[in-house]
């Protein structure tokens, strides 16, 4: 159970002259949920997005250091970014369904990655079931995805990621735009998905981090301050900054 | 005092709007009231006869439609491709800014300059002669900056989260643009394209030296032939004809048809925009 799935070594990242991440070293274990917490602007989303190379599109982003998925060097020139993104999926803060039907939201990437046509319907059904969405949408798969409620849209976005069977799922505050009931559903979903996937989640919600995480990383001003089991971070944090943040003194 | 100022402001603003609407109304009323009497099925479907003093404007209508078609074929693919490059691929740099500023400036160049440029480039340098092809390409050049600008605006309105959605699934940038960004931006692009074309269809100066003719006695399918066009026909009938009083009703009829043509195109553009708005 203690296999290291994803890791960053001496990661420094800056946008233009502004350094966002300072010498980050972190390892994420397979089939665990790891939460990244910290005040806004501490770099947790930036760290998350460097694993699936979403910074490739920002011309002023400069990345130093090494990131690995198993033994695959994520930024090596020979490794294709599309393969990496297929193996490391991402769910965003605001649900962003494609302007297509529910079914097409899942089938699109399967077609792009050349999955055999006859397998696609079963894969989609499986992913929708895994994402706790099947019962709600099975009779209206042709409906435009934007007609779904916010919580359903976010579960669709998770299903869209899950259907490609990635190894890691990155989640960037996936519940911040959702009501408490939808949030509960997503949290249940995350706990169930960790059996098959390694999950890294950015969250501002301390209770949420406590409910779902195996491990928690606290970041502050671009640095990784403390990284430990969920229990230790919330009950017995070693660093003073962590204590203050957990205690709600700033944030 | 404040209340008075408020009323005065309102009167000035409202008055300006009314004045603009009034001017437009007078122009339309003048043209339509005098033009509708000369419009008939024969007017639209027959050739001019007796030295333009009788008959219809069939070749001019066909000429304008074909001309606009050639303009579309040339300007739309290049314009959209250029906008996609600028908005989706080009990294912000001095060069891209210069390119963008140049395109904006091109939109401000008087159309007669395009006409002369088309004469030099297409008619003479490229040996295309005075032809519907030369004229269509010239109008295409004139339309390009508008199509690029409106397409870029339409692409800008597509939220980045949508691009990230497919990129995060391991879809390439090109596939993302082709399958998600362009389809979503299509109504905005179409609106810009149609409005640009409706403007191009009414231009006279760019086709003046590049291929338009006062009279042709048969429509040919060849792109290297000269052609008749509505705006130029109107110009000739209203200022250059020997029997100017006699052809006046025909001139009004031509103006009416030209305006109706442009209005139709614009209505299509508004319909596309409206339909898109109600869908979201």
């Amino acid at each position: 159970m203690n296999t290291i799935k994803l890791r960053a070594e001496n990661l420094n990242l800056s946008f233009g002259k502004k350094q966002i991440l300072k010498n980050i070293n972190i390892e994420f274990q397979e089939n665990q949920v790891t939460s990244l917490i910290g005040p806004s602007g501490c770099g947790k989303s930036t760290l998350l997005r460097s694993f699936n190379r979403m910074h490739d599109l920002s011309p002023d982003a400069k990345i130093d250091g090494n990131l690995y998925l198993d033994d695959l060097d994520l930024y090596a020139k020979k490794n294709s970014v599309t393969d990496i993104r297929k193996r490391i999926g991402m769910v965003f803060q605001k649900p962003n369904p494609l302007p297509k039907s529910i079914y097409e939201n899942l089938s699109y990437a399967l077609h792009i990655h050349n999955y055999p046509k006859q397998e696609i319907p079963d894969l989609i059904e499986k992913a929708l079931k895994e994402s706790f969405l099947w019962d709600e949408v099975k009779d209206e798969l042709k409906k435009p995805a934007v007609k779904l409620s916010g919580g359903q849209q976010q579960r669709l976005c998770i299903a869209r990621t899950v259907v490609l069977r990635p190894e890691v799922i990155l989640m960037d505050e996936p519940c911040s735009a959702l009501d408490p009931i939808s949030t509960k559903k997503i949290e249940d979903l995350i706990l169930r998905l960790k059996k098959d996937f390694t999950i890294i989640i950015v969250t501002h919600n301390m209770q949420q981090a406590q409910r779902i995480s195996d491990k928690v990383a606290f970041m502050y001003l671009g640095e990784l301050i403390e990284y430990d089991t969920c229990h230790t971070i919330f009950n017995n944090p070693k660093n003073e900054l962590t204590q203050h943040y957990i205690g709600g003194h700033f944030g | 005092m404040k209340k008075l100022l408020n009323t005065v402001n309102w009167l000035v603003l409202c008055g300006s709007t009314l004045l603009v609407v009034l001017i437009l109304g007078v122009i339309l009323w003048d043209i339509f009231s005098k033009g509708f009497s000369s419009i008939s099925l024969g007017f639209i479907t027959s050739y001019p006869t007796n030295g333009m003093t009788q008959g219809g404007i069939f070749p001019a209508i066909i000429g304008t439609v074909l001309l606009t078609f050639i303009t579309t074929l040339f300007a739309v693919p290049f314009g959209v491709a250029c906008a996609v490059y600028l908005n989706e691929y080009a990294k912000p740099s001095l060069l891209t800014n210069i390119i963008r500023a140049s395109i904006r400036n091109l939109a401000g160049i008087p159309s007669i300059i395009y006409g002369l440029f088309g004469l030099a480039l297409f008619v003479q340098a490229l040996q295309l002669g005075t032809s519907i092809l030369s004229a269509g390409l010239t109008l295409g050049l004139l339309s390009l900056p508008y199509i690029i600008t409106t397409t870029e605006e339409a692409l800008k309105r597509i939220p980045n989260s949508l691009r990230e959605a497919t990129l995060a699934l391991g879809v390439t940038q090109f596939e993302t643009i082709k399958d998600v960004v362009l389809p979503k931006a299509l109504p905005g692009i179409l609106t810009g394209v149609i409005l640009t074309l409706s403007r191009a269809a009414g231009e006279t100066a760019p086709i003046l030296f590049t291929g338009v003719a006062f009279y042709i006695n048969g429509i040919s399918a060849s792109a290297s032939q000269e052609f008749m066009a509505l705006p130029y026909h109107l110009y000739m009938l209203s200022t250059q004809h020997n029997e100017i009083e006699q052809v006046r009703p025909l001139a009004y009829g031509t103006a009416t048809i030209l305006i109706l043509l442009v209005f139709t195109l614009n209505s299509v553009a508004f319909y596309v925009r409206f339909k898109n708005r109600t869908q979201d």
Side-chain angles (χ1 to χ4, degrees):
Chain A
M1 265 305 276
N2 274 337
T3 323
I4 308 285
K5 190 69 199 169
L6 196 65
R7 67 185 200 276
E9 289 173 357
N10 306 321
L11 173 64
N12 284 284
L13 189 149
S14 46
F15 286 120
K17 291 199 175 97
K18 196 165 187 287
Q19 188 165 12
I20 308 291
L21 297 178
K22 296 169 190 164
N23 200 34
I24 303 279
N25 285 283
I26 192 165
E27 295 174 335
F28 300 99
Q29 266 138 23
E30 194 164 23
N31 299 110
Q32 287 202 341
V33 177
T34 308
S35 291
L36 303 178
I37 60 169
S40 299
C42 71
K44 43 194 194 314
S45 290
T46 307
L47 173 62
L48 196 74
R49 293 164 69 92
S50 48
F51 284 109
N52 68 339
R53 291 182 52 176
M54 288 310 264
H55 299 305
D56 284 16
L57 290 176
S58 321
D60 58 341
K62 196 174 156 295
I63 298 183
D64 273 331
N66 296 311
L67 295 105
Y68 297 96
L69 172 70
D70 297 327
D71 288 324
L72 182 80
D73 182 349
L74 296 176
Y75 281 82
K77 282 231 158 58
K78 63 176 164 51
N79 296 327
S80 115
V81 64
T82 51
D83 285 349
I84 287 168
R85 288 184 183 142
K86 185 169 169 280
R87 293 177 63 184
I88 306 179
M90 186 167 215
V91 177
F92 296 85
Q93 185 170 358
K94 235 180 110 214
N96 54 355
L98 304 176
K100 300 169 185 281
S101 72
I102 295 171
Y103 187 86
E104 285 165 332
N105 259 274
L106 275 77
S107 66
Y108 175 65
L110 294 173
H111 285 300
I112 291 283
H113 293 295
N114 295 318
Y115 281 68
K117 273 211 169 64
Q118 63 276 16
E119 287 177 20
I120 288 179
D122 290 340
L123 288 171
I124 288 178
E125 184 175 336
K126 184 174 173 222
L128 284 171
K129 280 179 177 159
E130 282 176 317
S131 309
F132 300 154
L133 194 59
W134 177 253
D135 290 334
E136 292 162 58
V137 301
K138 63 180 178 212
D139 298 323
E140 39 185 17
L141 292 173
K142 292 213 171 85
K143 195 166 97 166
V146 289
K147 295 261 161 76
L148 295 171
S149 75
Q152 289 174 322
Q153 286 187 17
Q154 193 62 301
R155 275 178 281 145
L156 181 71
C157 291
I158 294 175
R160 186 175 70 188
T161 306
V162 163
V163 79
L164 290 173
R165 315 312 305 173
E167 292 152 57
V168 179
I169 300 178
L170 310 170
M171 297 188 170
D172 191 357
E173 297 183 49
C175 302
S176 65
L178 305 180
D179 62 79
I181 294 170
S182 306
T183 300
K184 172 84 170 58
K185 284 187 185 158
I186 303 264
E187 287 180 8
D188 292 346
L189 176 55
I190 290 172
L191 288 174
R192 146 113 177 246
L193 288 175
K194 80 170 187 176
K195 290 188 191 73
D196 299 311
F197 308 94
T198 304
I199 295 172
I200 306 171
I201 178 170
V202 166
T203 179
H204 274 288
N205 183 331
M206 291 301 117
Q207 288 78 28
Q208 179 169 70
Q210 227 163 336
R211 283 191 296 261
I212 60 175
S213 324
D214 297 297
K215 294 187 84 175
V216 176
F218 171 66
M219 293 178 67
Y220 186 65
L221 296 178
E223 291 180 67
L224 178 63
I225 304 293
E226 193 166 353
Y227 181 37
D228 216 319
T229 61
C230 182
H231 186 267
T232 310
I233 291 279
F234 282 104
N235 296 294
N236 191 18
K238 294 178 182 65
N239 191 290
E240 205 177 332
L241 280 168
T242 320
Q243 287 163 12
H244 280 290
Y245 187 69
I246 302 296
H249 297 303
F250 68 92
Chain B
M1 187 59 200
K2 208 168 176 184
K3 198 170 171 212
L4 183 71
L5 202 68
N6 208 12
T7 317
V8 172
N9 279 341
W10 184 84
L11 278 176
V12 170
L13 295 174
C14 185
S16 311
T17 313
L18 276 179
L19 190 69
V20 172
V21 174
L22 193 72
I23 294 171
L24 182 70
V26 168
I27 294 174
L28 289 182
W29 171 252
D30 182 60
I31 293 174
F32 282 174
S33 62
K34 292 171 183 159
F36 266 123
S37 56
S38 27
I39 294 180
S40 62
L41 193 62
F43 184 69
I44 300 173
T45 57
S46 64
Y47 276 71
T49 46
N50 290 341
M52 300 279 170
T53 54
Q54 280 169 347
I57 54 169
F58 179 64
I61 295 176
I62 294 299
T64 289
V65 169
L66 287 179
L67 180 70
T68 313
F69 185 66
I70 293 175
T71 306
T72 313
L73 280 188
F74 171 64
V76 173
F78 279 108
V80 171
C82 180
V84 167
Y85 172 76
L86 282 176
N87 196 62
E88 306 289 325
Y89 288 98
K91 299 191 161 68
S93 70
L94 186 65
L95 183 69
T96 0
N97 284 340
I98 291 173
I99 293 176
R100 214 171 255 131
S102 311
I103 291 168
R104 301 285 190 281
N105 282 331
L106 276 179
I109 289 180
S111 55
I112 186 78
I113 310 275
Y114 279 100
L116 290 167
F117 182 75
L119 173 68
L121 179 67
F122 300 122
V123 177
Q124 291 179 341
L126 295 178
Q127 300 274 310
L128 297 175
T130 50
S131 62
I132 194 165
L133 182 61
S134 296
L137 292 175
T138 308
L139 276 183
L141 284 185
L142 174 104
S143 310
L144 266 178
Y146 295 96
I147 292 183
I148 295 170
T149 312
T150 49
T151 303
E152 222 191 322
E153 291 304 319
L155 292 173
K156 258 191 209 126
R157 280 197 297 272
I158 308 300
N160 246 333
S161 60
L162 211 54
R163 296 183 180 87
E164 290 182 337
T166 51
L167 289 174
L169 295 168
V171 175
T172 63
Q173 194 181 359
F174 178 73
E175 287 160 340
T176 298
I177 292 168
K178 174 171 72 77
D179 297 333
V180 180
V181 178
L182 277 181
K184 180 83 176 157
L186 192 63
I189 295 173
L190 270 182
T191 309
V193 164
I194 294 169
L195 290 178
T196 304
L197 291 177
S198 79
R199 189 190 158 219
E203 281 287 351
T204 316
I207 58 176
L208 196 56
F209 316 117
T210 50
V212 77
F214 177 48
Y215 180 72
I216 50 163
N217 58 6
I219 294 167
S220 118
S222 161
S224 60
Q225 295 295 308
E226 294 194 344
F227 63 101
M228 288 177 72
L230 286 170
Y232 184 69
H233 190 67
L234 176 58
Y235 164 70
M236 294 308 284
L237 287 189
S238 39
T239 62
Q240 308 294 307
H241 201 279
N242 294 330
E243 321 277 345
I244 210 133
E245 288 304 320
Q246 212 182 336
V247 297
R248 183 117 305 164
L250 295 180
Y252 272 109
T254 309
T256 308
I257 296 288
L258 181 58
I259 289 180
L260 286 178
L261 197 80
V262 170
F263 270 13
T264 312
L265 278 176
N266 288 3
S267 317
V268 172
F270 283 122
Y271 174 73
V272 170
R273 194 153 52 188
F274 172 76
K275 196 158 171 247
N276 177 49
R277 195 171 295 161
T278 48
Q279 253 176 13
D280 281 342

